[in-house]
Structures are given as C-alpha cells and as structure tokens.
Amino acid sequence: MPELPEVETTVRGLTPVLAGQRLTTVEARRPDLRKPIPVDLRQRMEGATVTGLSRRAKYGLIETDRGDTMIFHLGMSGRWRVDPADSLAHDHLILATGAGRTLALNDPRRFGFLDLMSTDAMAAYPPFLAMGPEPLGPDFTADYLLGALAGRMAPIKAMLLDQRIVAGLGNIYVCEALHMARIAPSREAGRIALPRLERLVEAVRAVLLSAIEAGGSTLRDFAAPDGELGYFSKQFLVYGREGADCSCGAPVKRRTEAGRSTFWCARCQRG
C-alpha cells in the first residue's frame, strides 16, 4: 500500500501539472471505487481552477477556487498517470486542464477512493477528526510522544501505526525508523524514556525524508505520476530482508502479527 512518502511524491508530481490550472474535463468512468464517487464531482470540479495541492497523512488533497477540495486515497494499487499515451481499463478518473495536460487515476484493485469536501470544513472530515500530528510537522516531538504514550502497554510499533497517535505512518517506515532508533518493535510504548523518544522522532523524520527524496518505495504497483519508480526500497535496512545480515552482522528477523510483517534486528534493537 502506498504510504506517506509515496503520497507526498504523488502530490509533488501532480503540482506542476495542476496548480493554477483550470479543469476543463472531470470524468469519472465508474460510479465507485472502494466507496461511491461523489455524484456531483463533475459539477463541482469541472471549470474550477486548482489553487493548491497538499497531503494529510496518506490522503492527497486538490483544492479549487470554488471552495472545494477533492480528496484521493491510493488504496493498494492506485497511481496517477500524467499525459498517458493511451487509455487503460483501470483509468477510473480523467482530468484535463486548459493547458492541454491530461491526468488519469488508475487503480486496478479499486481499494482507493475519491471524496469531495468544502475546503473550510476539511478539519471535520471524518478520517481526519481523530488523527494525530503529522510526523514531519512541528507538533510531532518527543515531548508529545511521551504524553501520548504514557501508561500505554501496547508495543511501540503498534502505537506508531495508530493514526490517532501519529498520522500517516505505515508498516515499512515504522520498521525502518525503529531500527534506526535502535528500539525493539515489541518494546512497551509507555516505558520508553524521553531520550530514546527523541532518537525515535529524529529517526522517523530521517526515514520519511530519505524516502521522499528517493521517490518512495516501489512495491508491486506504485509509481510516481511521471511513471518513475521509487527506489527507497534499495535502502531498506531491515524491511523485507529476513535472514539477511544487518549492518551489525546479525540476521534480520521477521514475525507476522495480524497479517502484517515486522522486521528487526535482535542485536541492534534489544530494548
């Protein structure tokens, strides 16, 4: 599933194509993806000018001068294609601009979705209501984590994946950040001291920024809007490397919980 760096890469790829452009065509080619596509999407978006693009957690946001924001989630296999040479069976939304550019939202598995909200009401969008701070934002600090995790007996990995604690973190980058911070994924969250949380916050930010710079991680279907494949996966230290040597020489371990794999080094991440 595309995680925060992949969505950030997508938004950055869409920005030079859409920002400041009038949408001359907004065509939904099916009534639904994971959930129904708003029936008034075309009416509210066609003819509007895109005033900004941004991201919240794993959601992409396209704002217009009509006071609306189109929200997209890439699900498991979604990606935008810029100026596609041909039309594919799973191009479910087509956007065209006054500058003659075309964008196609392609999603073979249809686990993504599209939504539409008044820009002024975005803070009340249901998925955003209980979200924690952005991991790259100023509110994600060691002091914040110390308070949010106080008394929590759950493993630190589970807490970092909880969108109410921090928004947008996914399995890949949590595994990598915990390794960089030298914290065991099974460590009881409420027992991690402030100095180690400071190291963890720095690791989360470093991993995410490195992944964004690398264009994300291409696993299965993800590609940036320009078709380029993210290459951060070539920098993985533990994720997907079961049995391979960690930089310390110990083998990377893997376990599966609730259908999700955890990768870690028992030597580097002892506590």
Side-chain angles (χ1 to χ4, degrees), residues 5-6 9 172-173 176 207-219 222-224 226-237:
E6 289 75 50
T9 298
I172 296 172
Y173 301 107
E176 291 292 300
V207 167
L208 292 177
L209 289 172
S210 294
I212 291 168
E213 183 178 354
S217 304
T218 297
L219 299 175
F222 175 74
D226 60 4
E228 289 295 315
L229 303 179
Y231 57 88
F232 185 70
S233 56
K234 299 183 184 300
Q235 302 177 38
F236 287 166
L237 297 177

Side-chain angles (χ1 to χ4, degrees), residues 4-119:
L4 186 156
E6 289 75 50
V7 179
E8 181 69 26
T9 298
T10 294
V11 168
R12 293 184 183 189
L14 294 177
T15 296
V17 181
L18 284 179
Q21 295 298 315
R22 180 174 176 269
L23 299 175
T24 58
T25 298
V26 177
E27 178 189 352
R29 293 186 167 179
R30 57 177 299 114
D32 59 6
L33 293 174
R34 189 168 75 194
K35 63 181 187 176
I37 294 173
V39 295
D40 57 350
L41 182 70
R42 182 172 189 170
Q43 176 185 350
R44 290 167 64 179
M45 295 290 288
E46 197 165 273
T49 296
V50 175
T51 55
L53 294 95
S54 57
R55 176 195 54 76
R56 175 67 167 127
K58 302 176 189 178
Y59 298 78
L61 310 175
I62 301 175
E63 301 176 24
T64 76
D65 62 348
R66 291 181 180 170
D68 292 318
T69 295
M70 185 175 78
I71 304 157
F72 66 84
H73 193 286
L74 298 175
M76 295 290 290
S77 60
R79 66 185 181 99
W80 287 91
R81 303 197 302 136
V82 176
D83 296 327
D86 52 3
S87 179
L88 300 181
H90 298 292
D91 287 343
H92 302 309
L93 177 71
I94 304 298
L95 302 180
T97 73
R101 308 295 298 274
T102 301
L103 288 161
L105 178 60
N106 185 274
D107 188 356
R109 301 185 191 180
R110 300 204 304 272
F111 286 161
F113 65 81
L114 293 164
D115 214 337
L116 194 60
M117 281 284 289
S118 168
T119 302

